[in-house]
Amino acid sequence: MSCFVPTNMLVAAGMLMPNPTVKSIIFWQWANQSINVAFNSANSNKTTEMNMKETAACARMTSISPGLRTILGRLVPFTAVAAAGTVNVFLMRGKEISEGIDVYDHEGKSVGKSQKAGMSAITQVAISRVLTNFPVLTIPPLVLSQWERTSWAQQYPKAVIPINLAVISLVLMSALPLAIAAFPQYANVEVHTLEERFWNLKDSKGEPIKTLTYNKGL
């Protein structure tokens, strides 16, 4: 995740180009989803094979953005990013839900795969993605609306894009660590909240296992 902000700034710059065409919108949304694919692959659970459905994710992305642009104006690129980012996570990591992810006892031993743990992990990751994008969806438009009311905006109209990028960069750098920290990467879960086959497990000492751990990824 260390290159999340620089790579997303490149995409943001492309999205903010003046007078975008449908082709340019589609290209930059495809580029954004390609980056999401890389992040999802690098930060997945790793105990279950991923679905490499970048094409489907990009198709969802590009169908969302042009339609909303006429409705939401300046908010569209980031509305589309948040929506498609969530779709991307569920598409690529869907097997973690259908097949489950490894859950571990307190000794670090895998006791099987849990679909419920997989659903919990993917949901938390999707929420983190939305939490990352939500400030970008709201704060820069508010800042720009205030900027446009000043005399500086009339004197330096070309400063809008650099200011927007600067605000987006600051927001991303602030939002990303907070969004990642919203849920622990290694989560403890009560066995009774998982499938019934985990309810009566015992550790190497014969003691009942009450909690298990799973890696949700980032």
Side-chain angles (χ1 to χ4, degrees), residues 74 140-151 153:
R74 183 179 292 156
L142 292 175
V143 172
L144 284 182
S145 65
Q146 295 299 315
W147 162 261
E148 290 169 354
R149 297 178 183 178
T150 67
S151 59

Side-chain angles (χ1 to χ4, degrees), residues 120-201:
S120 177
I122 300 305
T123 301
Q124 290 176 13
V125 170
I127 292 173
S128 293
R129 296 286 192 274
V130 174
L131 292 176
T132 301
N133 286 294
F134 181 75
V136 181
L137 169 67
T138 56
I139 296 176
L142 292 175
V143 172
L144 284 182
S145 65
Q146 295 299 315
W147 162 261
E148 290 169 354
R149 297 178 183 178
T150 67
S151 59
W152 289 87
Q154 303 299 323
Q155 297 179 32
Y156 306 101
K158 294 183 178 180
V160 172
I161 291 180
I163 290 175
N164 203 0
L165 285 174
V167 174
I168 292 171
S169 177
L170 290 173
V171 171
L172 276 175
M173 286 188 289
S174 301
L176 179 62
L178 294 176
I180 291 176
F183 304 100
Q185 181 175 353
Y186 293 93
N188 293 320
V189 59
E190 298 288 337
V191 293
H192 69 268
T193 64
L194 301 178
E195 291 81 357
E196 189 173 352
R197 62 181 178 274
F198 297 108
W199 293 1
N200 298 312
L201 295 177

Side-chain angles (χ1 to χ4, degrees), residues 33-49:
Q33 288 309 301
S34 297
I35 291 172
N36 279 346
V37 167
F39 282 123
N40 287 333
S41 177
N43 297 284
S44 64
N45 173 269
K46 300 299 184 183
T47 64
T48 302
E49 181 182 356

Side-chain angles (χ1 to χ4, degrees), residues 94-105:
K95 284 189 176 181
E96 295 181 21
I97 298 174
S98 61
E99 298 180 6
I101 59 175
D102 283 8
V103 289
Y104 303 87
D105 61 19

Side-chain angles (χ1 to χ4, degrees), residues 17-28 66 69:
M17 294 296 290
N19 304 316
T21 64
V22 172
K23 289 183 179 180
S24 68
I25 293 172
I26 290 174
F27 171 78
W28 285 110
R69 176 169 290 278

